[in-house]
Amino acid sequence: MSRKFVVLVAVLLISLFSASACFANAEKWPEKPITMLIPFATGGGTDFNARLVAKILSDITGVRVNPINRTGGQGVVGHTAIAKGTPDGYTMGDIECELSMMHWQGLTDLTYRDLTPIALIVSAGGAVYVNEKSPFKTINELFDAMKKNPGKLKASGAPHGGIWHLCAAGMVQAEGMKVTDFVWVPNDGSAPSLQDLAAGGLDFVVCGPKEAESLVSAKKVRPLVTVTKERLVDYPDLPTLKEETGSDWIVDSWSGIAAPGGLPEDLKVKLGAAIKQVWETDEFQDTMKKAGKTLAYLGPDEFKAFLAEQDENYGKILKSLGLAKE
């Protein structure tokens, strides 16, 4: 028996043992504490989402799930830690829409391809608002006014380059217009932008629906459309951008759960089923809704396709605004 043959047999046996061990580990998962990595600081929205998932996942599985904040680099440090973790089912983390932006901005080479997507849990698409007394009754009327008076209408909802700026710019470009066909007024966030809109200082605002609820109830501002794939459960009478214009444009302020890259398929299925069970609990649904979160769920494969779409959309709009580094 040649030495080369012996080595080949040994390699095959090791491979078979490793595969069976991985399967056995997946069958027994979870057997030990799980680490939940959080790319942003304690007390923020990402931290809220991740700690709630960790708490309920611990209740369901009976093992401790330890939330650990890994901050820095505008989310790069934490997202990288998730991607580079051991793909054994005992490291996961909360990933955010910044993942779709940071590599285009030259902050990192990391993309969604370096992770194993497990589940989308929050999808806070934007909505377009006008002043209650605005002459624009539909989004098409707003677009028509923009086309007839390029560079005259003023909008806000976020700082320059923020999520809702990107949403607005992409929405306009999808209609064949330029980002210079409206004026973006940078603001610290949705709250001051909506106040400016209510006071008559802006023509429209793009922001999350939950952020505008109080002013809508007070009849100070009025929604035209959501920039979402489907009508939102909490706003069933509000049409989507696609329903009104046919546009497929969407940039989402999303949140989800991912594991390190290279996670075996059987473990991906296990983790996916566990996170879906977490998402479906009354505790998760009620707590998130009370916190003003817009809930959405996608499983591992659907979430990966969603991330691919988001990455492409973020890249296009960041390039058009001169904010992309590659």
Side-chain angles (χ1 to χ4, degrees), residues 128-131 134-157 165 168-169 171-172 177-186 197 200-206 224:
V128 181
Y129 292 87
V130 295
N131 186 288
S134 171
F136 309 126
K137 304 301 181 185
T138 68
I139 191 67
N140 285 312
E141 290 180 2
L142 177 66
F143 286 155
D144 287 343
M146 205 178 300
K147 292 172 183 176
K148 293 175 182 176
N149 302 281
K152 299 295 183 183
L153 299 189
K154 293 186 292 183
S156 192
H165 182 200
M171 177 182 70
V172 166
M177 293 182 279
K178 302 174 183 177
V179 294
T180 53
D181 285 342
F182 71 100
V183 177
W184 186 259
V185 181
L197 180 67
L202 296 169
D203 295 292
F204 68 97
V205 159
V206 179
L224 296 181

Side-chain angles (χ1 to χ4, degrees), residues 120 122-129 139 164 167-168 171 206-210 224-254 294-296 306 309-310 313:
L120 176 74
V122 171
S123 179
V128 181
Y129 292 87
I139 191 67
W164 303 129
C167 185
M171 177 182 70
V206 179
C207 68
K210 292 290 185 182
L224 296 181
V225 293
T226 63
V227 191
T228 55
K229 283 188 176 298
E230 298 177 354
R231 293 194 181 198
L232 300 177
V233 174
D234 292 337
Y235 309 94
D237 298 326
L238 187 58
T240 66
L241 179 68
K242 183 168 185 176
E243 286 178 306
E244 293 291 284
T245 69
S247 172
D248 286 316
W249 172 256
I250 179 173
V251 158
D252 214 333
S253 178
W254 54 264
T294 304
L295 298 176
F306 172 87
E309 177 189 53
Q310 289 293 289
N313 284 355

Side-chain angles (χ1 to χ4, degrees), residues 15-196:
S15 298
L16 288 170
F17 176 79
S18 299
S20 62
C22 180
F23 179 78
N25 288 339
E27 284 293 297
K28 296 177 182 178
W29 182 92
E31 295 182 287
K32 61 182 182 180
I34 298 167
T35 297
M36 174 69 76
L37 296 172
I38 308 169
F40 297 101
T42 304
T46 302
D47 185 70
F48 180 91
N49 298 344
R51 288 179 184 274
L52 181 61
V53 171
K55 188 267 181 190
I56 301 174
L57 182 61
S58 180
D59 293 342
I60 288 173
T61 61
V63 303
R64 191 167 67 253
V65 182
N66 300 311
I68 298 176
N69 298 82
R70 293 292 300 275
T71 62
Q74 300 179 50
V76 171
V77 171
H79 284 92
T80 301
I82 299 168
K84 301 296 185 183
T86 303
D88 59 0
Y90 293 97
T91 297
M92 64 181 71
D94 186 294
I95 62 174
E96 298 286 322
C97 61
E98 283 79 6
L99 178 66
S100 301
M101 303 170 67
M102 56 180 62
H103 73 96
W104 293 112
Q105 296 168 324
L107 300 176
T108 179
D109 292 331
L110 187 77
T111 75
Y112 73 93
R113 298 178 185 88
D114 300 305
L115 297 123
T116 302
I118 299 298
L120 176 74
I121 59 173
V122 171
S123 179
V128 181
Y129 292 87
V130 295
N131 186 288
E132 179 65 33
K133 298 178 181 178
S134 171
F136 309 126
K137 304 301 181 185
T138 68
I139 191 67
N140 285 312
E141 290 180 2
L142 177 66
F143 286 155
D144 287 343
M146 205 178 300
K147 292 172 183 176
K148 293 175 182 176
N149 302 281
K152 299 295 183 183
L153 299 189
K154 293 186 292 183
S156 192
H160 183 73
I163 177 67
W164 303 129
H165 182 200
L166 303 186
C167 185
M171 177 182 70
V172 166
Q173 286 184 320
E175 293 299 312
M177 293 182 279
K178 302 174 183 177
V179 294
T180 53
D181 285 342
F182 71 100
V183 177
W184 186 259
V185 181
N187 243 328
D188 288 338
S190 300
S193 300
L194 288 163
Q195 291 294 337
D196 288 349

